[in-house]
Amino acid sequence: MLTGAFISAAIAMELPGPGTIYLGQTLQFRSPVTLGDTLTVALEITDKHSSRPWLTISTIVRNQNDKEVARGEATVMAPAKKETVTVIPPPAVQLLEDPDSASVDAN
Amino acid sequence: MLTGAFISAAIAMELPGPGTIYLGQTLQFRSPVTLGDTLTVALEITDKHSSRPWLTISTIVRNQNDKEVARGEATVMAPAKKETVTVIPPPAVQLLEDPDSASVDAN
């Protein structure tokens, strides 16, 4: 399902992009994904509703060896006009060996 | 898709549990999920292949107001025998205001 999160991010940020409402997703998991793999998400709009802004998007995820690890279809409602979004970079994170030191450092 | 990750975790840890191979998932997103929501995943085995260990599992996710936020179906290969898994608690994490301090502290 981490794979699914990458698809979700690609839809929300790229195609159709910000303002998209995610209605549904099907996914078949074809091959295992392991630590260190590099995944590429390919999106292709395959169908458009005749009157409503509903799109069907083919979603295929491949690993660094071009092996298909997952495929499926997304159903989305596309935004009616172009929208932009400001992405705030996530804060830096430090892993703490000793959980107790977290509260100490936070004070 | 965070919702999907919760379903994935429930399948991997509870029903059928450790050793399960996740073959596919369909999801319809019914209502928005917002920060602070408490989600509950309900799993029900709805079909079993006559000869192979393939199960269809109904997956319904509700929020704290019992409103359905997502529903779908998982297809899994159940483990042939009971397996157990040791879950290592994730390390404590500290967010750093200044990204530079991460490398300093790590040295």
Side-chain angles (χ1 to χ4, degrees):
Chain A
M1 271 297 179
L2 179 59
T3 309
F6 287 136
I7 295 173
S8 172
I11 287 172
M13 298 307 295
E14 303 293 342
L15 182 82
T20 302
I21 296 173
Y22 209 171
L23 300 175
Q25 175 78 52
T26 64
L27 269 180
Q28 293 171 277
F29 302 108
R30 298 285 186 99
S31 299
V33 174
T34 58
L35 276 175
D37 280 358
T38 301
L39 302 184
T40 304
V41 178
L43 302 179
E44 183 183 0
I45 295 174
T46 53
D47 197 21
K48 183 182 178 307
H49 192 278
S50 56
S51 57
R52 293 166 187 259
W54 293 346
L55 304 176
T56 305
I57 303 175
S58 148
T59 58
I60 299 178
V61 185
R62 295 187 182 86
N63 68 14
Q64 67 279 6
N65 302 317
D66 208 36
K67 186 170 178 60
E68 197 175 293
V69 298
R71 73 155 50 219
E73 265 188 357
T75 313
V76 307
M77 193 183 301
K81 56 180 181 178
K82 188 172 176 64
E83 296 189 24
T84 58
V85 66
T86 303
V87 177
I88 300 170
V93 161
Q94 182 180 9
L95 299 185
L96 302 168
E97 291 286 333
D98 175 8
D100 293 337
S101 63
S103 52
V104 172
D105 286 348
N107 287 339
Chain B
M1 271 297 179
L2 179 59
T3 309
F6 288 136
I7 294 172
S8 172
I11 286 171
M13 299 308 296
E14 303 292 343
L15 182 81
T20 301
I21 296 173
Y22 208 171
L23 300 175
Q25 175 78 50
T26 64
L27 268 181
Q28 293 171 276
F29 302 107
R30 299 287 186 97
S31 299
V33 174
T34 58
L35 276 175
D37 280 359
T38 300
L39 301 184
T40 303
V41 178
L43 303 179
E44 183 183 1
I45 295 173
T46 52
D47 198 21
K48 183 182 179 308
H49 192 279
S50 57
S51 57
R52 293 165 187 259
W54 292 345
L55 304 176
T56 305
I57 302 175
S58 148
T59 57
I60 299 178
V61 184
R62 295 188 182 86
N63 68 14
Q64 67 279 4
N65 302 317
D66 207 35
K67 186 170 177 62
E68 198 175 292
V69 297
R71 72 156 49 219
E73 265 188 357
T75 313
V76 307
M77 192 183 302
K81 55 181 181 176
K82 187 173 177 64
E83 296 189 25
T84 56
V85 66
T86 303
V87 177
I88 300 170
V93 161
Q94 182 181 8
L95 300 184
L96 301 168
E97 291 285 332
D98 175 9
D100 293 337
S101 62
S103 53
V104 172
D105 286 349
N107 286 340

